[in-house]
Amino acid sequence: MLTHSFKLVTIIAEPVLEPRITTELRRLGATGFTVVEGRGQGSRALHAAEIPGINVRIETIVPPEVADRIVEYISKQYFADYEVIAYLSDVQVVRGEKYRRAP
Amino acid sequence: MLTHSFKLVTIIAEPVLEPRITTELRRLGATGFTVVEGRGQGSRALHAAEIPGINVRIETIVPPEVADRIVEYISKQYFADYEVIAYLSDVQVVRGEKYRRAP
Amino acid sequence: MLTHSFKLVTIIAEPVLEPRITTELRRLGATGFTVVEGRGQGSRALHAAEIPGINVRIETIVPPEVADRIVEYISKQYFADYEVIAYLSDVQVVRGEKYRRAP
């Protein structure tokens, strides 16, 4: 089956940031996203209260250049003040046009 | 540690499709699956009501040839009429036999 | 944007194991983790009651050598007696120091 290579961007953040981040994903070129709720502990919690925090996991599949823009934006906007995580992985999709904004 | 390369298939669909899809996964050769509930917006929602929809994220680890069968089946069966997403990624597992149906 | 290659370790286990496993992740070198609740069926369920079981999906991003230690530990500790799944995938992160324990 013919597949196309795209990037899966995963952003883990506190729930209050969800509306802002998903709006920014759209603006930066994502055609959709999914959100799953979870909990977790980051490296800061190690030195703090050790109470697992509630978080949201926001995922979007985008072309590589959009993935770069998203990760750059997220890191500049949030990494200093929030415990936000963002990472990329490679995925193969069937219909590439679903994940590519019409020009 | 010796690991083996398999494919992780992720299918995101509306919840009503879960029983049908998981039954099909078994039939196509998957030995197991996991389901997580989430919400999201796809490319169609952009032009519709913009209400984030509830969805299920179904995941299964399978040999590459089974992954191909699953993605081909899902795309033929659902892409025209449902907002279903399916994608593949590469994973390394420890015990390959867990994910391979006995012949 | 400059990114660094790390390993994403995913462990799917019954909920009762979560505190033990997350404590072990810390001990083995992880700086954080996330947990999402789900359900699923494994290869054993095929021959059992076929009732989907509740599970937790524990994820952590770590350097490759820590990923190896985690997967080796999980497989030796749990694979014989529990329906635990563990797998690795490649991810690119922006700030590598977040995922690397200070020596």
Side-chain angles (χ1 to χ4, degrees), chain B residues 5 12 27-28 31 40 52 55 58-59 64 74-75 88-89 97 103:
Chain B
S5 293
I12 298 170
R27 193 181 52 79
L28 293 166
T31 62
N55 60 40
I58 304 166
E59 296 190 1
I74 294 291
S75 63
L88 305 178
S89 50
E97 70 275 14

Side-chain angles (χ1 to χ4, degrees), chain B residues 23-38:
Chain B
T23 301
E24 289 159 1
L25 291 181
R26 294 288 203 190
R27 193 181 52 79
L28 293 166
T31 62
F33 61 85
T34 61
V35 179
V36 168
E37 284 165 16

Side-chain angles (χ1 to χ4, degrees), chain B residues 21 29 58 71 74 101:
Chain B
I21 290 176
I58 304 166
V71 169
I74 294 291
R101 189 75 68 74

Side-chain angles (χ1 to χ4, degrees), chain B residues 26-61:
Chain B
R26 294 288 203 190
R27 193 181 52 79
L28 293 166
T31 62
F33 61 85
T34 61
V35 179
V36 168
E37 284 165 16
R39 53 187 190 278
Q41 288 180 17
S43 46
R44 292 181 192 175
L46 270 177
H47 311 290
E50 288 285 347
I51 298 167
I54 300 303
N55 60 40
V56 289
R57 167 187 305 258
I58 304 166
E59 296 190 1
T60 184
I61 294 176

Side-chain angles (χ1 to χ4, degrees), chain B residues 3-19:
Chain B
T3 58
H4 308 272
S5 293
F6 276 72
K7 289 285 181 185
L8 173 66
V9 184
T10 303
I11 300 161
I12 298 170
E14 50 192 280
V16 70
L17 296 177
E18 180 186 333

Side-chain angles (χ1 to χ4, degrees), chain B residues 72-85:
Chain B
E72 185 156 9
Y73 183 85
I74 294 291
S75 63
K76 285 193 180 154
Q77 202 71 15
Y78 296 110
F79 278 12
D81 299 322
Y82 297 92
E83 187 155 9
V84 169
I85 282 178

